[in-house]
Amino acid sequence: MSHSNQPRQLHLGLFLFSTGYHPAGWRLPESVTDGAFDPKFLQGVAQRLEAAKFDFFFLGDALASSADMQYQFPSQMVRLEPFTMIAHLAAVTEKIGLIVTANTTYAEPYHIARMTASLDYLSRGRTAWNVVTGADARAAQNFSRDKHWDNTKRYDYADEFVQIVKDLWDTWEDDAFVRDKASGVFVDESKVHAIHHKGDHFSVAGPLNVARPPQGQLPLLSAGTSERSQELGAQFSNVIFTGQFLFEEARAFYAGIKSKLAKYGRKQDELFIMPGLVPIVGRTDEEAYAKYRELSSLLVTNFDLKPLSARIGIDLSAYPFDGPLPNLTLSTLPGEGARPFIRLAQNASGHDDISIRELYHYFAATVRGHLLLVGGPERIADQIEKWFQGEAADGFNLCAPYMPDGLNLFIDLVVPELQRRGLFRTEYEGSTFRDHFGLARPENRFARKDLLQQS
């Protein structure tokens, strides 16, 4: 189904951080701390999102871990394997899209093509693949390698990997299965295709031993801001996840990615940019500010000011920690430099006269680069609308600051406000991942080649 003639629509998904995105989210009295391994909790989250008409549920993945991650990244320290978990959630949901993450650096194309196609059947066409090349160098030690490949090699490998998977998904044409009991013909052999791929990194014959997925081609997702990651996204992806928290920078990133599509023969509405959003929501602005202060007070940190000092271009160690910010004209950063970042910290705190401690609290909560907003439903919706209408985003990948209430408050308060403004759906218009984004089901590339040869 294509929505290209309809007004542009906001997209919302959840990037699951089982104990919350905020490093101290798990310490709130009302927060769940063991949800990552609780099937009922995971089911409840997916079903809650589906009732709110979210586009997708997304679980990231990593192939290494360590105990010291508890201080900055507790949600990502340990978690379930994504293919297994998504298959489980497919059985207890009906409409919401389900994203599975697979790392091309430590996998084989045939395996990934087979597993993703299988999940698309189990979910009845609701699966998408988040393509990652891996940023954690420690993963190499878990896969019998001496070192993690550099960015160039990882993306060279990924480019070929993704193309093979896409080819394998098409190796069985949609009408290949005749299943004619009278003649005894089960499959039309002319509609089954080996790919005979021999490239720089892989040799794969095919065909795949799973029929063409219900969506034909699963939607692809990717993340990253490097030039190579942007090119991979522009060539293959339907959704790009990004970490942007300054409006003008987000607009520039959005325009830059969209401008790359034409050289790959793609249209603007085939790719959606979705920055991460961390919403701390209250029924009123003051209630939200109070929750933000509570979260800040629970941070476990050594208050190392060096990274923050580098971020704003002023050595903060020379000033009283609970005193006011130094004069910004002292910053060594060019132009406006630190001002936009400090303005965001002031907005989160609800007042302009923030201390160095308060600036540090904001820095610690946003160090991974996603937009943190604090306020009541109208204030949060105002910013979402600004980014959406200003072409800084096509939607947002929600990172709930704590669970489950950090998600529930957004669903209960902000989603209705977005719907009231006509920005977000009130009902699903289709039942597949592609439907939610208005993406047509693609023709089989091998069938298309046959038709061209016949003509």
Side-chain angles (χ1 to χ4, degrees):
M1 138 181 341
S2 175
H3 304 159
S4 58
N5 295 324
Q6 298 181 13
R8 187 163 160 261
Q9 184 182 65
L10 180 75
H11 296 280
L12 293 174
L14 177 75
F15 187 176
L16 179 67
F17 292 82
S18 58
T19 59
Y21 178 88
H22 193 286
W26 68 276
R27 298 190 66 198
L28 291 172
E30 66 267 34
S31 290
V32 170
T33 59
D34 59 352
F37 302 98
D38 182 350
K40 291 295 184 185
F41 172 82
L42 296 168
Q43 290 173 19
V45 170
Q47 291 167 346
R48 187 85 170 88
L49 294 170
E50 185 167 77
K53 316 305 178 188
F54 269 52
D55 291 83
F56 59 77
F57 175 107
F58 166 43
L59 178 70
D61 195 27
L63 300 177
S65 183
S66 62
D68 61 2
M69 292 172 68
Q70 66 177 303
Y71 301 111
Q72 184 59 47
F73 219 17
S75 281
Q76 304 301 82
M77 186 166 50
V78 288
R79 52 195 154 181
L80 293 177
E81 188 279 319
F83 279 83
T84 310
M85 193 193 79
I86 292 300
H88 173 76
L89 294 181
V92 297
T93 55
E94 295 181 356
K95 293 289 185 69
I96 191 166
L98 301 168
I99 299 173
V100 64
T101 298
N103 188 322
T104 57
T105 305
Y106 300 103
E108 285 287 331
Y110 195 92
H111 280 145
I112 299 305
R114 187 184 188 201
M115 290 191 292
T116 49
S118 297
L119 276 181
D120 206 39
Y121 275 100
L122 293 174
S123 66
R124 299 173 300 280
R126 293 184 289 127
T127 302
W129 171 27
N130 178 43
V131 180
V132 300
T133 67
D136 192 336
R138 297 173 302 174
Q141 300 170 41
N142 295 330
F143 290 86
S144 305
R145 294 187 187 173
D146 294 331
K147 64 179 181 178
H148 190 54
W149 294 340
D150 63 28
N151 193 65
T152 298
K153 184 172 182 178
R154 293 201 316 275
Y155 277 98
D156 286 346
Y157 199 81
D159 287 344
E160 187 177 342
F161 192 116
V162 172
Q163 189 58 63
I164 294 169
V165 171
K166 289 174 68 65
D167 286 344
L168 287 169
W169 285 335
D170 272 355
T171 50
W172 297 79
E173 294 185 33
D174 292 322
D175 56 351
F177 292 91
V178 180
R179 300 185 178 96
D180 185 343
K181 292 184 179 181
S183 67
V185 176
F186 194 81
V187 171
D188 180 345
E189 295 183 23
S190 71
K191 296 181 181 294
V192 184
H193 306 275
I195 65 173
H196 299 302
H197 176 91
K198 291 188 182 296
D200 294 334
H201 305 286
F202 301 102
S203 176
V204 181
L208 192 63
N209 63 347
V210 179
R212 193 174 192 234
Q215 295 183 96
Q217 291 280 309
L218 275 69
L220 299 182
L221 305 93
S222 60
T225 57
S226 73
E227 187 61 30
R228 284 302 303 274
S229 67
Q230 291 186 46
E231 290 295 334
L232 182 140
Q235 183 176 4
F236 294 118
S237 296
N238 299 109
V239 177
I240 288 183
F241 296 140
T242 181
Q244 305 282 343
F245 56 87
L246 298 178
F247 177 69
E248 292 301 334
E249 290 184 5
R251 288 191 73 211
F253 180 83
Y254 182 102
I257 290 287
K258 296 276 188 172
S259 71
K260 297 177 185 292
L261 293 173
K263 69 179 176 180
Y264 295 110
R266 304 183 67 199
K267 299 177 182 178
Q268 297 283 305
D269 60 1
E270 293 180 49
L271 176 63
F272 300 83
I273 311 298
M274 298 184 67
L277 172 65
V278 187
I280 299 178
V281 184
R283 290 168 183 82
T284 64
D285 288 347
E286 187 46 52
E287 184 178 285
Y289 297 141
K291 181 58 67 176
Y292 173 71
R293 289 193 294 269
E294 183 181 5
L295 284 164
S296 297
S297 71
L298 294 173
L299 278 169
V300 177
T301 177
N302 60 6
F303 291 105
D304 179 6
L305 291 175
K306 293 185 183 68
L308 176 57
S309 296
R311 178 69 183 78
I312 67 169
I314 301 174
D315 182 4
L316 296 173
S317 64
Y319 300 90
F321 194 48
D322 288 305
L325 297 180
N327 189 324
L328 291 181
T329 61
L330 300 173
S331 175
T332 60
L333 298 178
E336 282 293 294
R339 283 186 198 280
F341 177 76
I342 290 174
R343 171 52 61 186
L344 287 171
Q346 292 168 329
N347 291 342
S349 301
H351 59 96
D352 290 346
D353 55 337
I354 61 173
S355 65
I356 292 175
R357 181 188 296 272
E358 288 174 302
L359 183 62
Y360 180 88
H361 286 157
Y362 182 80
F363 177 74
T366 60
V367 71
R368 294 191 294 277
H370 296 308
L371 175 66
L372 187 149
L373 298 176
V374 181
E378 291 191 2
R379 182 180 291 271
I380 300 292
D382 284 346
Q383 289 301 306
I384 290 175
E385 184 171 11
K386 175 185 176 181
W387 281 55
F388 179 63
Q389 302 292 14
E391 295 192 340
D394 292 308
F396 289 92
N397 197 16
L398 194 70
C399 307
Y402 55 100
M403 290 292 288
D405 289 351
L407 172 62
N408 291 336
L409 284 167
F410 183 89
I411 289 174
D412 292 340
L413 301 175
V414 180
V415 169
E417 178 63 21
L418 295 171
Q419 291 170 331
R420 185 186 68 77
R421 300 182 188 197
L423 296 173
F424 188 63
R425 67 170 66 86
T426 56
E427 290 294 338
Y428 289 114
E429 296 184 11
S431 60
T432 71
F433 197 108
R434 300 188 76 90
D435 287 341
H436 300 338
F437 285 85
L439 298 167
R441 188 178 188 271
E443 293 182 57
N444 185 300
R445 68 195 61 201
F446 293 107
R448 186 166 63 246
K449 287 178 182 178
D450 289 345
L451 288 173
L452 289 172
Q453 289 169 357
Q454 291 171 16
S455 63

